Amino acid sequence: MRIAVIVHVFYPEFWPELARCIRNIDGDRDLFVTFVDETAVEGARRDFPDAHFVRCENRGYDVWPFLKVVQELDLTAYDCIVKLHTKRDVVDDFKYEFNHAVFNGSAWREFLLGFVKTPKAWRKTLKALARPSIGLVADRHVILRRRDVPIARTRETFDRAAELLGLSVEEMRHAGQYVAGTMFAVKPAALRPLLKRTFTADDFELPQGHLTETFAHVLERAMGLSVSAAGLRLAAFNGSLFWRRLVYLFR
């Protein structure tokens, strides 16, 4: 299996955690590291000197850098694409609750990385992707549907994503899913509906903060809907939750 790993490094303090996850992805692997500030990838250059380094505009959070790379790839050359980024901790002023889990502190990032956190987890992810019906694998806690999101503006963002892909908003209102935080393993075929359009940096606003829904957030939803539009399904990675529950008990 040939794998493209695309990782956006904005917060260098979280790079060592990502490096450990990348090392769990063995086999025929091409690593692409996107960045805004050269100093952010000093550690990445030391750890993976053979990686492809791509400077990106500071737009679209981790979404535009991912699309900038994936649009240039020959998707027929890869069996799987892994998307990772340096997601910082949730600040104390915000508290998110999804799928009966609290996403404060580092918990959101821990959930997002669950599918590749250990060699065993990665093997489980590959086993799921080997199923013909599965197009994307992510931790079950971060796979959301439109109806799971209580804030009206985020539901409207979801609907804009459906319209972008030419999907019926009514049809996708309850069936469509996406990964909140955009870390996952995906088959290239699952991204083709989204990549029918070419994106540029000018499509994206500058970073807007926590509470603003931007075009990057539309595409976050569109990545999940693209899987459905390709006739594939999202698989929920379900690792052991015991240690995570301990984290919440003592947080």
Side-chain angles (χ1 to χ4, degrees):
M1 174 177 283
R2 191 175 182 201
I3 302 165
V5 181
I6 304 174
V7 52
H8 184 57
V9 182
F10 191 83
Y11 302 106
E13 60 268 32
F14 299 119
W15 166 252
E17 183 178 40
L18 287 187
R20 290 191 293 271
C21 291
I22 293 167
R23 292 189 181 100
N24 294 331
I25 305 172
D26 53 7
D28 190 0
R29 178 194 68 202
D30 290 337
L31 176 60
F32 300 86
V33 180
T34 60
F35 63 96
V36 173
D37 184 350
E38 181 70 46
T39 61
V41 292
E42 291 174 352
R45 290 189 185 278
R46 288 193 301 269
D47 292 338
F48 299 98
D50 294 334
H52 306 275
F53 289 85
V54 181
R55 186 187 295 274
C56 293
E57 302 83 353
N58 189 21
R59 291 177 177 268
Y61 302 99
D62 57 282
V63 173
W64 161 238
F66 174 74
L67 289 173
K68 182 173 184 175
V69 172
V70 81
Q71 287 180 152
E72 297 299 320
L73 294 181
D74 175 8
L75 294 183
T76 64
Y78 294 98
D79 303 293
C80 171
I81 298 173
V82 176
K83 182 183 182 303
L84 302 172
H85 62 96
T86 54
K87 184 171 182 62
R88 63 179 175 176
D89 291 358
V90 176
V91 297
D92 293 338
D93 293 342
F94 295 91
K95 182 179 179 180
Y96 300 90
E97 294 187 28
F98 299 148
N99 292 339
H100 308 292
V102 179
F103 284 55
N104 60 341
S106 64
W108 197 341
R109 186 174 67 256
E110 291 166 2
F111 282 132
L112 282 164
L113 291 173
F115 76 97
V116 72
K117 195 80 172 179
T118 66
K120 181 179 178 181
W122 177 244
R123 289 193 296 270
K124 190 173 181 180
T125 296
L126 288 180
K127 185 176 179 180
L129 277 178
R131 295 165 57 189
S133 63
I134 299 302
L136 181 150
V137 179
D139 190 285
R140 69 185 182 92
H141 290 87
V142 296
I143 297 178
L144 304 183
R145 294 166 294 181
R146 182 185 185 278
R147 66 184 182 187
D148 296 327
V149 183
I151 305 173
R153 68 173 178 273
T154 63
R155 291 197 296 270
E156 292 170 0
T157 301
F158 194 100
D159 293 345
R160 286 177 59 199
E163 293 169 1
L164 178 71
L165 290 170
L167 301 171
S168 165
V169 171
E170 288 302 318
E171 178 185 0
M172 303 307 296
R173 195 176 294 275
H174 299 295
Q177 297 174 304
Y178 74 101
V179 180
T182 61
M183 294 200 215
F184 47 72
V186 63
K187 290 176 180 173
L191 294 177
R192 286 197 175 95
L194 176 63
L195 297 176
K196 288 179 180 178
R197 168 180 167 175
T198 299
F199 300 94
T200 71
D202 292 337
D203 290 321
F204 297 89
E205 306 92 335
L206 295 170
Q208 300 292 314
H210 289 283
L211 298 179
T212 302
E213 296 294 310
T214 67
F215 189 58
H217 294 94
V218 172
L219 291 182
E220 176 186 44
R221 279 104 178 132
M223 288 180 191
L225 295 182
S226 181
V227 179
S228 301
L232 299 169
R233 297 191 295 111
L234 283 71
F237 177 85
N238 188 19
S240 171
L241 299 181
F242 177 73
W243 70 273
R244 293 177 183 173
R245 287 173 180 153
L246 287 179
V247 169
Y248 298 135
L249 285 173
F250 295 101
R251 188 180 295 278

